[in-house]
Amino acid sequence: HMLTRKINGKKGAEMCIAALVSIANVCTANNTIAILAVGPLAKSISYRYGIEPKRSASILDTMSCFAQSVIPWGAQLLIAAGLAAINPIDIIPYLYYPFLLGFITLVSIIFYKKKTI
């Protein structure tokens, strides 16, 4: 598959899932649509690379929330900017939580080690 042929390993697969849902969210400006659009592909990637379904779902959810929160044409920023009578882009430097969420999610992908009992 063209979107997944460069994946090499579990971490690469998780990064691919994160990137795909983020891109879909940027294009649609809708978390639900992005997750529904990327979900079947994420499930296939997860199965192929041995990623637990709950981990794949977590990556889908957190990265779609991150993307939705930082795009100036997303509902959250449009509403906040409208209420404050400012440009949505002016809010972006103050979005500490969404950027922290995205950063921590990427760090968790890079350093994740499955616990074995």
Side-chain angles (χ1 to χ4, degrees):
H1 198 270
M2 192 169 109
L3 293 172
T4 60
R5 78 175 112 172
K6 301 249 182 195
I7 295 175
N8 53 358
K10 195 178 227 180
K11 289 183 191 312
E14 290 177 353
M15 286 291 198
C16 181
I17 292 168
L20 288 171
V21 76
S22 297
I23 291 166
N25 202 317
V26 167
C27 293
T28 62
N30 187 305
N31 287 36
T32 305
I33 299 300
I35 291 169
L36 288 174
V38 175
L41 183 55
K43 184 176 181 179
S44 172
I45 292 169
S46 297
Y47 180 74
R48 189 176 329 148
Y49 290 94
I51 300 166
E52 296 172 342
K54 64 182 178 182
R55 181 149 173 90
S56 177
S58 176
I59 292 168
L60 279 171
D61 184 43
T62 54
M63 290 308 290
S64 70
C65 287
F66 159 72
Q68 181 67 29
S69 298
V70 299
I71 54 175
W73 54 90
Q76 292 87 337
L77 284 186
L78 289 176
I79 291 170
L83 292 171
I86 60 174
N87 187 324
I89 293 172
D90 295 336
I91 300 172
I92 292 174
Y94 303 101
L95 298 176
Y96 305 116
Y97 177 77
F99 283 113
L100 188 60
L101 178 68
F103 176 75
I104 289 173
T105 302
L106 294 177
V107 167
S108 78
I109 290 170
I110 294 167
F111 294 107
Y112 176 73
K113 299 275 191 228
K114 184 175 180 182
K115 295 178 186 176
T116 55
I117 298 173

